[in-house]
Each structure stands twice: as structure tokens, then as C-alpha cells.
Amino acid sequence: MKTASQYRAQAREVLGGNIFSNKWLMAVVVVLVYTAILGAASSITWGIATLLLSGFLLYGFNRVFLRLVRGGEEVELAALFDGKDNAGQTILLGLLSNIFIFLWSLLFIIPGIIKFYSYSMAFYILNDNPEYDWKKCLDESTRMMRGNKWRLFCLHISYIGWLIVGAICFGVGTLWVQAYMQAATAAFYDDLKNGDITVKVEE
């Protein structure tokens, strides 16, 4: 089982090894466009369009990094909009997962965080299984993350130092860190899918 540092090392490797490599810079562009679109949609429509667009864009966002981790392919900005091929399911999955996470958050913040990590693999699963409906994706993500939510949380927390440094650089540096973290998360999912991380089975 890989440690957080091993996932970070894998992420650096697939991103080209340094922050000014072509792959890493293109990944930064993907992060920038993704956040800019969601930010603009939120400011214009008070969050309504964001709810509808979040799943559509997150599907493509995860697809970019999943391809990168699996095949070392060049990062393509156009892949960010691949959700158009399965728009109904991506929008529905994004909308309902956000609603469920919000409702769990009303029970205090911790249940919302737990549910966020339970659902964190849903869009990767939809990428691999476009025939799945939203419920199947959420159920499968919940199953895969059983016993693994803490591991992924620790992986994300291990980037806190990088995020602080990125924030100091006028906030621009966080774009590089987000690309770095996303690549590591995609690698984590791939290990889950391939059985390299144990998934707990309900008794």
C-alpha cells in the first residue's frame, strides 16, 4: 500500500517532474479554466448554474488527470468538456451528490466531510462506467471508500504546506498545487480500482 509521499512522487512523475514542465503547466491551465468557469457561474447566477455545471465539469476534470495517470498522455484542455457526451448523468450526479453532502453537513461539519470522501470517487467511476446511473456511482464510491476515507484525507492534508506556500505567492501557486493534488487523487482511485488498496467488505 502506497504512502502519501509515494502518491505525491507518482503525481510529480506523471506531471513531468517539475512545475515548469509542459504537462504540469497544461494541468495548471485546466485547473484555472475549471475554477474560472465555476467562479463566474457562481457570481452571475448566485450558485444555481454552479450546481448544474459542477458535475459536468468535474467529470471532464477527473478525466484529464485519470488519463494522465494511466497513460502519461499529454494534457488536453478539450477533455475538460467531455461531460457533454454523458451530460444528463454528469449533471444529475453532480447535483445530487452536492445536495446530499450539504444535507449531511447540516448535522455539523464532520458528517459532511465524511460524506464528501465517501462520494469522492463517483466521477472517476462514471468515467470508467458511463452506463452507470448516479445512484450506482455514489453507491460504488461509498463501497470503494469504506475504510479508505481516512487514507485519502491524510493524502490531501499532506499538501497543506504546499498550499500555504502557493497562497503566499499571491494565491497563484495554489493552481500548481491543485494540479499536483488532483494527479495524486487520480492515482489513488486507480489503485482502488485495481485492488492495490484493500476495500472493506460489509459483514
Side-chain angles (χ1 to χ4, degrees):
M1 186 180 298
K2 293 176 185 172
T3 63
S5 62
Q6 287 174 317
Y7 279 114
R8 292 197 304 273
Q10 182 179 354
R12 288 195 300 273
E13 181 180 353
V14 300
L15 285 167
N18 70 81
I19 62 173
F20 297 112
S21 67
N22 288 336
K23 286 184 179 179
W24 207 321
L25 290 174
M26 278 303 302
V28 168
V29 171
V30 170
V31 172
L32 177 61
V33 172
Y34 172 76
T35 54
I37 292 175
L38 289 181
S42 179
S43 63
I44 293 172
T45 64
W46 298 281
I48 297 174
T50 304
L51 278 174
L52 297 176
L53 280 173
S54 61
F56 175 84
L57 289 175
L58 186 55
Y59 176 87
F61 189 63
N62 286 359
R63 190 179 188 86
V64 168
F65 289 93
L66 197 56
R67 285 178 173 177
L68 184 65
V69 165
R70 287 177 172 174
E73 297 179 17
E74 293 299 321
V75 178
E76 296 182 1
L77 180 60
L80 182 60
F81 305 101
D82 280 357
K84 67 182 184 302
D85 298 328
N86 198 6
Q89 285 302 329
T90 62
I91 292 172
L92 198 57
L93 178 57
L95 179 63
L96 291 172
S97 60
N98 281 324
I99 289 173
F100 293 153
I101 291 168
F102 170 75
L103 291 175
W104 278 96
S105 297
L106 295 178
L107 301 175
F108 300 111
I109 192 66
I110 298 300
I113 294 173
I114 292 173
K115 191 57 64 174
F116 169 81
Y117 278 95
S118 290
Y119 293 163
S120 60
M121 301 292 111
F123 280 93
Y124 294 109
I125 292 167
L126 186 59
N127 264 285
D128 281 335
N129 305 275
E131 73 280 5
Y132 283 8
D133 63 13
W134 66 270
K135 188 177 186 303
K136 179 70 173 177
C137 290
L138 293 182
D139 288 347
E140 183 64 10
S141 178
T142 299
R143 184 193 69 80
M144 291 178 75
M145 291 302 290
R146 192 172 296 123
N148 293 305
K149 292 184 286 293
W150 178 249
R151 293 189 183 107
L152 184 57
F153 177 77
C154 289
L155 173 59
H156 288 166
I157 286 294
S158 74
Y159 282 91
I160 193 165
W162 290 93
L163 288 168
I164 291 171
V165 172
I168 291 172
C169 300
F170 304 101
V172 176
T174 58
L175 297 173
W176 272 261
V177 183
Q178 288 179 57
Y180 187 11
M181 187 185 303
Q182 189 65 27
T185 304
F188 186 92
Y189 163 75
D190 221 29
D191 282 352
L192 271 175
K193 182 176 184 292
N194 294 328
D196 295 332
I197 299 177
T198 301
V199 176
K200 285 187 178 180
V201 178
E202 285 186 329
E203 297 180 356

